[in-house]
Amino acid sequence: MEKILILHTNDLHSHFENWPKIRRFLQQRRFEAKSKGQTVITVDLGDFVDRWHPLSEATNGQANVELMNTIGYDAATIGNNEGVGNSKTDLNHLYDHANFDVLLDNLFDKTSLQMPDWARASKIITTDKGTKIGLIAMTAPFPLTYTPNGWDIRQPNDLLPGLLAELRSQVDVLVLMSHLGIGSDREIARKFPEIDVILGSHTHHLFIQGEKIGQVQLAAAEKFGHYVGEVKIELADNKQIVKTSARALPTSEMLELSEDEEEISDYLTEGHNLLKARKVADLPYPLAVDVDSEHPLVLATLAAVKKRGHTQVSILNSGLFLEDIPAGIVNQDQLQRTLPHPMHLINVTLTGKNLIRLVQEMEKNRNFLRNFPIVGMGFRGKIFGNIIYSGIDYDRINHQVHWLGEMIDPEGSYTFTTVDHYLFVPFFPTIEIAGQVEFLFPEFIRSVLAEYLSQKFPLKSEES
C-alpha cells in the first residue's frame, strides 16, 4: 500500500497575518509525512497575490512569490487577482524568481495564441515507488477582463477533453488544481470522472471533510489562510486508488510563536515605507472623504476618471474613499490606503433611453445603498455610500435626466466612465444588459488618481 499526501493553500489574498503559522505547519507536516515514507505534494491554487496589501502593491507581487519560495511548493496556479489584478507585463514577470512550477491550461497570449512562457500545461511527479501523479490547472475564465489586458482566456470544458485524453494514460493519479469555483468543480467532477482529485478555490468555499462526487475527491480550504487543505490518497500495489479523503485544517489551531506578530507587522511596515517613498503630488489643500467638504476627494477622482476615459461624464460612489488626503506632499501609500480596491475603470456607452433607465436605477437604489454594507468583488470599503455624478443632473421633481446641462436624446449615444465594480454588482443591471462596455487597462482607480494629481499639482524638482 502506498500513501500520498497533497497539501494545498488557496486564496490567501495577501493576508499575511496567517502566513507564519501556515509556513510552519506545511514544513512540519511535510517532514512528518516524508519520515513515514509518504510522498508529499504541496500546491497553491491562486489568488496568493492581492494588491490591497502595501507590500504586494509596492513590489508588484514579487514579495508574495518570495514568501512562496520558502515553502517549496511543487506547483501553483493563478487566480483572477494575479491574472487581471496585474498588467500583462507585471504578470509576465511575476514568477521570474519562483522556485516552483506554475501550471495553467486555459490562458494564452492574445497575439500569439501560445501559452505564456511562465506557465506549463501539466506536471508529472513520480514517487519512489514509480507511481505517476499528474497535475493540471485551470483558472476562472473572465473574458471581459482578460481580453483587454492582452490575454485569451478559454473555457475549461472546451479544453479538458483533449487534455485528459493526452494525460490520463500517462499517470496513475490525476489532480486538477482549480481556481474555478464550487459550481464548476462539481460540474467537472460529474462530467469528467477521469479526474481523481479536484482541489478547489476561487469561491472561498470550505469542505471540512471534503466532498465526493462519484469517485472524484473534492477538497476546498476557504480563504485568507484560515485553513490549509489536506488530501490523502492510498494506492494498492497495482497503483489503483483504494481510498481518498480530504479535510481542511484551521490555522487558528496551529502553533503560534511570539515572533509571528513581529514578522506580520514587518510586512506591513516594509510595504508602507516603500510606498511612502514614492511621491506623487504637492496638494495645496486637503482632499476630504466628506462629500460636503470644501474639496471633496470624490470630485477630484471623478475628474481623474473622466480624463483617463476621455469622456465628459463620470459616476462614482463615496464609499470607495476610506481616508482623507491631507495638504502637502502626497505619496502612493496615502492613495493605497484611501483607495485599496483592485478596481479598473470602464467606459460604458448607452443609448439615451437606456441612460435614463440607468440613472433611474441609481436613484431608486440611492437611499438603500447610502448605508449598505458591501463586501466582495474587489470592494475594500465598508458601505457603498452616496452615488455622485459628474456631468449628469437628475431633476427629482420632474424625474428628468440631463447630460452636460442638456436634455437627453432617447436615440442618441452617450459614454461615461466609472469603475468595473458597477458591472458586477446587481444594483445597476442596465450596464450589463444594454451597455457597450470597454475596460481600461492596466491602471487601478488609485493609479488613475495619482496620475491626475501629479499633473495638476506637480512636485517641485527638489521634492521629486
Side-chain angles (χ1 to χ4, degrees), residues 376-422:
M377 293 169 286
F379 190 79
R380 309 298 192 198
K382 295 180 179 178
I383 59 171
F384 191 88
N386 286 302
I387 298 170
I388 313 293
Y389 308 120
S390 178
I392 290 176
D393 294 297
Y394 181 67
D395 182 344
R396 289 177 174 79
I397 297 175
N398 299 304
H399 304 288
Q400 291 181 335
V401 181
H402 295 85
W403 179 276
L404 302 175
E406 302 290 336
M407 292 291 292
I408 289 176
D409 176 4
E411 304 305 318
S413 179
Y414 299 85
T415 301
F416 65 91
T417 310
T418 187
V419 285
D420 59 1
H421 189 64
Y422 285 22

Side-chain angles (χ1 to χ4, degrees), residues 13 107 120 146 148 150 173 189 260 278 281 289 295 297 310 322 333-334 351 353 413 450 455:
H13 287 279
L107 186 70
R120 292 177 52 179
Y146 272 105
V173 179
D260 290 353
R278 300 174 187 175
V289 170
H295 299 290
L297 180 55
H310 304 289
L322 307 188
D333 188 60
Q334 293 169 300
T351 64
K353 179 180 178 180
S413 179
Q455 293 181 11

Side-chain angles (χ1 to χ4, degrees), residues 300-316:
T301 310
L302 284 164
V305 165
K306 285 189 292 187
K307 186 171 183 178
R308 172 62 182 91
H310 304 289
T311 60
Q312 295 179 291
V313 171
S314 55
I315 306 173
L316 294 172

